Amino acid sequence: MLRFIFTFIFVVFSSIICSESSVVEIHWNVSRILDSRDGRAPWKVIAVNGKPRIPPVHVQQGDILKLTVLNSLENATSIHLQGFTQNGTSYLDGTGMTSECGIPSGESYTYVFDTHGYSGTFWLMGGMNYHTADGLRTPLIIHEPLGRSDIHYDKEILFTFEDWGEETFLYHYNKQDVVKTSELVPYYPDGLINGINGNISQSVKLEPGKKYRMRFINLGAVYFFKFRIPGHKMHVIEADGISTEPLEVDGIDIGPGQRISTILTAHNTNAHNYIYNVTMYASFIVPHDKLNPRHYEGLIEYK
Ligand SMILES: *[C@@H]1O[C@H](CO)[C@@H](O)[C@H](O)[C@H]1NC(C)=O
Ligand SMILES: *[C@@H]1O[C@H](CO)[C@@H](O)[C@H](O)[C@H]1NC(C)=O
Ligand SMILES: *[C@@H]1O[C@H](CO)[C@@H](O)[C@H](O)[C@H]1NC(C)=O
Ligand SMILES: *[C@@H]1O[C@H](CO)[C@@H](O)[C@H](O)[C@H]1NC(C)=O
Ligand SMILES: *[C@@H]1O[C@H](CO)[C@@H](O)[C@H](O)[C@H]1NC(C)=O
């Protein structure tokens, strides 16, 4: 009898757990389209389903993400989920020519990502043929279903940073249009914030007294980004998908591939607007007149 009750409790309990997670199916037809993201002449960037920018993917912790990728590019491609260890599932790691041969042109493949045990800020990127640098990259946010019991916030704000070229990676590379460091690093004249020229990105609206979780992701290949809002402190609560004790900071400094979440508490009054300040830089590349560092600004709008 006791055994029956235990079994019963286990079945009920596990069905509750199961009912919380679901399967999220996404279809990506990956191809090149002519697009301008920085305001310069358009070039053939990599896009999904013919749309200029790849929408961020949002799931709940424990969801199974099924991402079906149809490769409509000229060469093989793959998708790497930045931040997943893929313990026992290296065939899903998308590290082209290391753990797999990639998806041939014209073929499709379904990645099955089990998000149990993961939460926070991640991103999906092309794992072959420099496709990530040509735009095959987007955030993957794994939301904690119950939030963090120690941290309350009202809303979320997402900031993605990208270094961006005037043409495809291979074009710059073949032209040896590169900055000389210990390695050859392609020339990236522009910084994108949320997918467009950092200086024309949309303003951030804050409501007095509210708390915001700001998620920052550096989707770029080479450059670092610094971000700060004068007159505001933030508390770091997550680094690369790992929750941290809150740490007060004036701003953040984020390298390629990294993710940081902060809590920003808006001022209690809407008397003033502010300007946020972003610097794109690489300390290992010689300072260059107009290329390194680069500054971007945007509006923090209270009123
Ligand atoms: C995928 O995109 C390519 C390029 O835009 C297009 O030719 C093709 O018809 C699309 N395939 C599907 C199944 O939507
Ligand atoms: C496809 O790969 C070949 C061989 O590496 C290369 O020459 C070509 O430029 C690539 N095409 C594109 C569009 O990247
Ligand atoms: C990988 O999984 C195996 C089997 O579940 C486990 O023993 C091992 O500790 C895991 N390794 C890491 C680095 O998590
Ligand atoms: C932004 O940063 C640059 C470089 O550090 C500085 O010159 C500028 O005054 C800053 N702008 C604001 C609004 O703080
Ligand atoms: C962005 O705008 C700021 C303020 O006008 C300016 O100082 C900066 O040079 C601009 N950045 C670029 C890359 O044009």
Side-chain angles (χ1 to χ4, degrees):
M1 184 58 190
L2 205 55
R3 193 166 171 186
F4 170 76
I5 291 171
F6 276 133
T7 310
F8 179 74
I9 289 172
F10 177 74
V11 168
V12 169
F13 193 62
S14 55
S15 65
I16 290 169
I17 292 173
C18 290
S19 68
E20 279 176 357
S21 56
S22 49
V23 175
V24 177
E25 288 192 51
I26 293 180
H27 292 262
W28 279 6
N29 181 3
V30 178
S31 68
R32 287 190 186 263
I33 63 167
L34 261 186
D35 187 26
S36 166
R37 297 190 178 173
D38 52 5
R40 295 176 195 265
W43 53 273
K44 283 193 152 186
V45 308
I46 297 185
V48 157
N49 303 333
K51 302 265 162 50
R53 274 168 292 280
I54 308 177
V57 177
H58 292 268
V59 298
Q60 299 290 324
Q61 184 179 26
D63 284 351
I64 307 290
L65 172 61
K66 284 192 176 175
L67 172 64
T68 301
V69 177
L70 169 61
N71 180 7
S72 299
L73 298 168
E74 188 182 326
N75 289 329
T77 196
S78 64
I79 300 295
H80 172 70
L81 202 175
Q82 187 83 21
F84 266 42
T85 57
Q86 302 291 5
N87 185 6
T89 50
S90 57
Y91 52 90
L92 294 173
D93 197 37
T95 40
M97 305 321 284
T98 304
S99 60
E100 57 154 288
C101 300
I103 310 165
S105 176
E107 302 287 319
S108 69
Y109 183 74
T110 301
Y111 293 91
V112 181
F113 299 123
D114 182 348
T115 68
H116 280 95
Y118 291 98
S119 71
T121 313
F122 298 81
W123 59 289
L124 296 158
M125 60 176 275
M128 286 184 82
N129 292 318
Y130 314 106
H131 287 163
T132 182
D134 289 356
L136 184 52
R137 51 196 184 193
T138 199
L140 167 63
I141 311 299
I142 305 178
H143 296 273
E144 299 92 342
L146 302 172
R148 269 179 66 179
S149 54
D150 57 332
I151 289 158
H152 159 79
Y153 52 89
D154 302 292
K155 286 186 177 160
E156 297 204 4
I157 299 169
L158 181 60
F159 263 86
T160 64
F161 302 123
E162 293 168 79
D163 41 29
W164 194 245
E166 283 178 290
E167 246 295 349
T168 64
F169 179 94
L170 277 180
Y171 173 89
H172 287 299
Y173 200 80
N174 292 337
K175 265 183 54 182
Q176 291 291 294
D177 191 1
V178 290
V179 182
K180 302 262 182 314
T181 62
S182 55
E183 280 186 76
L184 295 178
V185 170
Y187 155 90
Y188 284 118
D190 290 319
L192 307 183
I193 299 178
N194 292 328
I196 54 174
N197 180 327
N199 263 354
I200 59 162
S201 61
Q202 280 193 339
S203 62
V204 175
K205 293 196 170 56
L206 298 186
E207 284 178 58
K210 290 243 154 61
K211 281 186 197 277
Y212 296 85
R213 178 179 186 158
M214 302 191 75
R215 297 182 190 263
F216 300 93
I217 314 180
N218 184 343
L219 304 173
V222 176
Y223 285 77
F224 282 63
F225 287 82
K226 281 185 192 178
F227 173 96
R228 73 186 184 95
I229 310 173
H232 290 71
K233 297 262 190 210
M234 302 189 287
H235 287 85
V236 172
I237 57 155
E238 179 215 341
D240 295 339
I242 307 290
S243 296
T244 65
E245 293 287 324
L247 174 73
E248 188 181 273
V249 294
D250 290 322
I252 59 141
D253 193 351
I254 187 168
Q258 290 185 318
R259 297 91 65 197
I260 293 174
S261 284
T262 63
I263 297 291
L264 173 83
T265 306
H267 291 176
N268 280 323
T269 147
N270 63 0
H272 301 284
N273 289 336
Y274 292 81
I275 286 172
Y276 66 77
N277 209 347
V278 175
T279 302
M280 164 173 146
Y281 74 100
S283 55
F284 46 87
I285 294 177
V286 252
H288 182 297
D289 230 13
K290 291 202 167 86
L291 292 180
N292 182 33
R294 302 278 268 160
H295 297 291
Y296 297 93
E297 290 181 1
L299 191 61
I300 296 284
E301 212 177 336
Y302 274 94
K303 47 179 186 171

